[in-house]
Amino acid sequence: MRDCLAIGFIARMSFVLACFHAFIFIITLARNEMAASFHDGCWGTKFLMVGGLFVGSFWIDSSFFAGYCTFSRWVSVVFLIYQALLMLVVAYKINKTLVSNFEKDREQGKSCSAYILMGTMLAVLGGNGFWIVLQYTQYKCAYNVTFMTITLIGVIAMYGLVFLKTRPDASVLTSGIAAIYCLYLQWSALSADPSECNKMRGIAS
């Protein structure tokens, strides 16, 4: 009973947030000052909207959410691809900002930004390496290892493309940030495995 109730709450909140963000998307299509103000502000109104929609969702029959969950599984593929593209944009912006600060400091004879750039890059590389090893040690079943190895090959390929100079603004840092997102998606899937292969079931839940 408790598990069914929890799943019902999650499905309803997911539906409410999907409707809310679809509404925000429609508003921002206007691309004017009002749309920008509503997108960046009006947080009290937004919280009331989400809360009101969530309460109202309890008047929707549970059978609707069974279909919604199936629909969401398919739409989530498109959403994850879009989210990956946004992560790449964020990675390039972070890299551009850090490199720009480094170049400005170098012209002025300073070195603070160089330490920040190197420290960030090493932290990302170290974090990725640790996360890869952790996942290999915690999810040891054959099918898990297969998926982890595919992801690992993809991560290595992303780092390798940097040295091919496919983009002038690409760097080890941009590949590292993209790898964080890939490893997060992998961990999210592996940690949801209900079988004995998941050694972190208690922690993940």
Side-chain angles (χ1 to χ4, degrees):
M1 179 66 181
R2 185 182 63 181
D3 291 341
C4 289
L5 188 63
I7 293 171
F9 269 71
I10 293 170
R12 291 172 193 277
M13 180 53 75
S14 172
F15 175 72
V16 165
L17 291 176
C19 292
F20 172 74
H21 285 291
F23 173 72
I24 296 296
F25 174 72
I26 293 171
I27 291 292
T28 55
L29 289 177
R31 302 182 68 84
N32 54 29
E33 188 173 336
M34 182 276 295
S37 298
F38 187 76
H39 180 271
D40 297 333
C42 302
W43 291 105
T45 302
K46 290 175 181 176
F47 279 116
L48 289 174
M49 285 177 61
V50 172
L53 287 171
F54 182 64
V55 172
S57 71
F58 286 95
W59 275 265
I60 302 175
D61 192 82
S62 297
S63 60
F64 168 82
F65 293 99
Y68 168 74
C69 289
T70 301
F71 170 76
S72 297
R73 290 191 186 98
W74 292 98
V75 175
S76 64
V77 176
V78 179
F79 174 75
L80 289 175
I81 293 173
Y82 174 68
Q83 197 173 39
L85 293 174
L86 291 180
M87 284 297 300
L88 284 174
V89 172
V90 170
Y92 280 109
K93 284 191 174 182
I94 291 174
N95 182 70
K96 182 179 179 181
T97 300
L98 292 175
V99 171
S100 177
N101 291 340
F102 164 70
E103 291 175 347
K104 288 178 182 178
D105 277 6
R106 185 173 59 179
E107 291 174 357
Q108 299 173 3
K110 300 178 181 178
S111 58
C112 181
S113 293
Y115 294 128
I116 294 174
L117 177 60
M118 289 299 297
T120 303
M121 185 174 66
L122 291 174
V124 168
L125 287 171
N128 284 338
F130 174 77
W131 210 356
I132 289 171
V133 172
L134 178 66
Q135 291 185 38
Y136 267 105
T137 58
Q138 297 300 324
Y139 309 104
K140 296 182 179 180
C141 288
Y143 64 90
N144 286 339
V145 172
T146 300
F147 285 116
M148 287 187 291
T149 302
I150 292 172
T151 302
L152 178 60
I153 292 172
V155 168
I156 293 172
M158 285 192 293
Y159 282 117
L161 287 173
V162 173
F163 299 100
L164 296 178
K165 303 293 183 181
T166 53
R167 284 188 56 151
D169 55 346
S171 71
V172 173
L173 180 59
T174 55
S175 294
I177 295 173
I180 289 175
Y181 179 67
C182 293
L183 293 172
Y184 165 74
L185 291 180
Q186 176 177 269
W187 173 82
S188 180
L190 294 176
S191 64
D193 185 358
S195 72
E196 293 298 325
C197 292
N198 182 3
K199 302 301 181 183
M200 301 182 73
R201 277 186 303 167
I203 299 175
S205 60

